[in-house]
């Protein structure tokens, strides 16, 4: 099986490439080729024994994407996007990358199939940002997509495109709406939700972190490890079981910021918690007010997707995977 990851230089793309390289297969199909593409050349997975193609290209360039799909991968992971805060701040860039890039990718697959029969599996990372307030206490699978941000709109339109191209038999697609991924490793990015990770990641290594919202803010979370599990499972799943509604809200953990902090206290102690400084930010608080707090995710769970049940586990996964099992500066 030949696999393409578009957006392979990002955090999830890197972790997915490492998991694929380690596993050497998707379900019962052997990995025979791996192409990693992003706006900057991705790094080679450390455990990859075979050949891997590392490409720097821009998904907003239709010709670049056409050449990428001409390699005819059996499985296409579409992770390429800019994050929520950046998409909101730069309207043109958000639509160029998050929407036009998606359309270029889908169209390249369609044109390749017109030349010679070709129907790959496409796994698209969407977002819970496709939903907008007001929300019920628990958001059911049939809740309508009414985004309140440009980023959410770009993802929602891409979901519709994925469903239609799948309906037309152009590819076999599945969209997975990721929870907020926490704890994100590395440095803070431009995602509006970044503080959810910042208030854990920095104190775990002895650094201060700023909390811009109230501790009673509730949100929907999963770890990077679970996100990669979602991607692997979506690639191997019999999509006939999914039916025509190809976009799924992933399982996660509903928790308040205060519950996050209490989990940090249990895992890392009071010293870590004291490194969090509360500085309210009105702009972020307004944005957070329109974010979904809890999902039912019954369809995804029935299809075998799963995530953490305790925030302590999310923190410990970060400590094990990113900090070598050690807490402190």
């Amino acid at each position: 099986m030949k696999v393409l990851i578009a957006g392979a230089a990002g955090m999830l793309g890197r972790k997915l490439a490492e998991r694929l390289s380690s596993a050497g297969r998707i379900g019962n199909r052997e990995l025979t080729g791996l192409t990693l593409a992003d706006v900057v050349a991705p790094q080679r997975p450390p455990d990859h024994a075979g050949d891997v193609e590392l490409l720097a290209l821009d998904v907003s360039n239709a010709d670049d994407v056409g050449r990428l799909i001409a390699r005819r991968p059996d499985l296409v992971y579409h992770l390429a996007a800019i994050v929520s805060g950046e998409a909101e701040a730069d309207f043109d860039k958000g639509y160029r990358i998050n929407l036009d890039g998606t359309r270029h990718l889908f169209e390249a697959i369609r044109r390749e199939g017109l030349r010679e029969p070709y129907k790959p599996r496409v796994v698209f990372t969407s977002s819970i940002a496709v939903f907008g307030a007001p929300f019920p206490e628990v958001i059911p699978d049939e809740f309508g997509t009414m985004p309140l941000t440009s980023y959410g709109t770009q993802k929602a339109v891409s979901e519709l495109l994925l469903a239609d191209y799948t309906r037309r038999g152009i590819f076999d697609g599945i969209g997975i709406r990721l929870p907020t991924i926490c704890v994100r490793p590395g440095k803070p990015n431009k995602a509006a939700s970044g503080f959810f990770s910042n208030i854990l990641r920095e104190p775990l290594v002895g650094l201060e972190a700023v909390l811009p919202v109230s501790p009673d803010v509730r949100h929907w979370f999963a770890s990077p490890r679970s996100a990669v599990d979602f991607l692997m499972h979506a690639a191997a799943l019999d999509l006939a079981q999914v039916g025509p509604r190809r976009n799924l809200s992933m399982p996660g953990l509903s928790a308040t910021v205060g519950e996050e902090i209490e989990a940090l206290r249990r895992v890392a102690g009071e010293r870590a918690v004291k490194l969090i400084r509360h500085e309210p930010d009105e702009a972020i608080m307004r944005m957070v007010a329109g974010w979904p707090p809890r999902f039912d995710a019954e369809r995804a769970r029935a299809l075998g997707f799963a995530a953490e049940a305790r925030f302590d586990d999310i923190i410990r996964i970060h400590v094990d995977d990113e900090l070598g099992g050690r807490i402190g500066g």
Side-chain angles (χ1 to χ4, degrees), residues 6 38-39 57-66 68 78 80-82 92-105:
D38 211 317
V39 70
L57 57 84
D58 188 342
V59 293
S60 68
N61 184 308
D63 291 337
D64 280 356
V65 175
L68 190 61
H78 179 28
I82 63 170
D92 291 333
K93 185 177 182 181
Y95 274 89
R96 187 174 71 250
I97 302 296
N98 294 351
L99 182 54
D100 296 344
T102 298
R103 180 75 190 280
H104 292 331
L105 184 66

Side-chain angles (χ1 to χ4, degrees), residues 252-285:
L253 168 64
S254 179
T256 66
V257 170
E259 288 167 346
E260 269 193 85
I261 294 171
E262 286 305 309
L264 178 65
R265 180 177 279 111
R266 288 191 294 270
V267 173
E270 191 65 30
R271 182 179 178 183
V273 171
K274 287 182 177 179
L275 291 169
I276 301 171
R277 187 173 70 255
H278 191 200
E279 292 183 3
D281 184 314
E282 291 294 335
I284 293 179
M285 287 192 287

Side-chain angles (χ1 to χ4, degrees), residues 55 88 105 114 116 121 126 183 194 212 218 250-251 258 312 325:
L55 300 174
E88 198 66 18
L105 184 66
L114 292 174
E116 187 178 336
R121 168 75 56 94
S126 188
V183 179
R218 179 174 290 279
M250 290 292 100
D312 300 51

Side-chain angles (χ1 to χ4, degrees), residues 134-210:
F135 298 115
E137 183 177 346
V138 178
I139 299 168
D141 286 320
E142 63 270 18
F143 193 75
T145 56
M146 293 187 64
L148 298 177
T149 63
S150 293
Y151 175 79
T153 300
Q154 293 147 16
K155 289 293 188 179
V157 175
S158 296
E159 285 191 2
L160 290 173
L161 291 173
L162 178 133
D164 195 40
Y165 278 62
T166 295
R167 179 185 66 84
R168 300 290 297 247
I170 296 165
F171 54 66
D172 200 14
I174 179 170
I176 59 173
R177 299 179 185 126
L178 294 176
T180 287
I181 302 305
C182 188
V183 179
R184 295 186 71 93
K187 296 180 180 179
N189 62 20
K190 296 182 180 179
S193 59
F195 68 87
F196 288 120
S197 286
N198 300 350
I199 62 170
L200 302 174
R201 183 183 58 239
E202 272 62 42
L204 283 169
V205 293
L207 300 176
E208 283 194 344
V210 173

